[in-house]
Amino acid sequence: MSKLGCTCRHTIRDNTDSIPYKALCYSDEDTPVYFEAIETIADLLQARENPTAEQSFPPQPEQQKRKERMSLGHEITRILVYYHGGHRRDVFECENCGRLWLQVNPRENTYVSYLPEGQTRGVLRSHGGREEIPKIAVKKDHQTSPGMLDVSERGRLREES
C-alpha cells in the first residue's frame, strides 16, 4: 500500500521508513512462527559454526570474514522475511481523525477502520526506548557456552574476549 484514503478524506501515505503513524502487528496465534524462525536461525548459525574441513582451510583474510558476516545478515533477514512476511499486518493511524486502519489479511491489501472514542492521538508513535535497551553481544569465549549472550548489569554492552 502506498496511499490509503481515510473516511475523513485525509490521505495516509506509506512511502518511506520510520513512519510515526504506522505499526506492524502479529496475531497472538502466530507466535509459534517466531520460534520456528529462531530455530531456523540457530540451525544456520550452528552450520556456520561447524563447517566442513574443506571449508575451514586455509584461514580466511579479514575481508572474506566481513563478506561472510554480511552474507549471514542477508540469510537471517531472508529467514525472518520468510517466516514473518505472511503473518505481519500493517496498522495505520489517520493523523487527522485518529482512526486506526488495520490490515485484515497479511496477503491482501484490505483494511478495516476503528474510530477512537476519545481525543487521544499518536498512539502508534514510538516512545523511544532504544537507548534504554542494551545491545546484546555474542560471547567470543567458547569455554563456557558457545554463542552465549552477554549484557552487563548497567545495561551497557560487555564484550567477552
Side-chain angles (χ1 to χ4, degrees):
M1 184 212 83
S2 58
K3 290 195 281 186
L4 174 67
C6 185
T7 308
C8 74
R9 298 181 190 257
H10 179 73
T11 301
I12 302 168
R13 300 184 192 288
D14 182 18
N15 54 2
T16 187
D17 293 330
S18 301
I19 299 172
Y21 52 84
K22 179 182 181 183
L24 306 175
C25 74
Y26 298 88
S27 169
D28 191 52
E29 293 175 317
D30 291 330
T31 302
V33 172
Y34 287 101
F35 297 106
E36 290 173 25
I38 291 167
E39 288 171 6
T40 304
I41 291 169
D43 291 344
L44 172 69
L45 294 174
Q46 189 171 18
R48 285 178 170 251
E49 176 94 5
N50 303 316
T52 62
E54 60 191 57
Q55 290 176 330
S56 60
F57 294 105
Q60 298 171 346
E62 192 59 37
Q63 187 177 14
Q64 180 66 24
K65 288 179 184 177
R66 202 174 353 204
K67 194 179 203 180
E68 285 185 10
R69 205 170 21 251
M70 285 175 46
S71 172
L72 177 62
H74 254 280
E75 283 298 306
I76 291 172
T77 300
R78 189 180 65 77
I79 290 166
L80 292 174
V81 167
Y82 172 79
Y83 279 102
H84 299 291
H87 300 277
R88 185 198 86 203
R89 292 187 273 171
D90 295 332
V91 181
F92 294 93
E93 179 184 18
C94 177
E95 293 177 292
N96 187 49
C97 70
R99 273 184 181 84
L100 292 181
W101 288 89
L102 173 65
Q103 188 175 13
V104 177
N105 182 331
R107 294 167 196 86
E108 297 175 7
N109 198 20
T110 55
Y111 293 80
V112 63
S113 71
Y114 296 89
L115 186 61
E117 294 180 9
Q119 294 301 312
T120 303
R121 300 292 185 265
V123 297
L124 300 182
R125 286 186 178 276
S126 171
H127 292 281
R130 262 191 235 170
E131 304 79 28
E132 299 167 13
I133 300 172
K135 186 174 180 180
I136 297 175
V138 176
K139 284 186 176 184
K140 292 179 183 176
D141 180 11
H142 294 295
Q143 292 176 345
T144 54
S145 178
M148 194 156 175
L149 300 179
D150 184 42
V151 181
S152 75
E153 292 175 15
R154 288 177 296 206
R156 292 228 183 264
L157 173 67
R158 183 174 67 211
E159 194 169 313
E160 298 288 325
S161 56

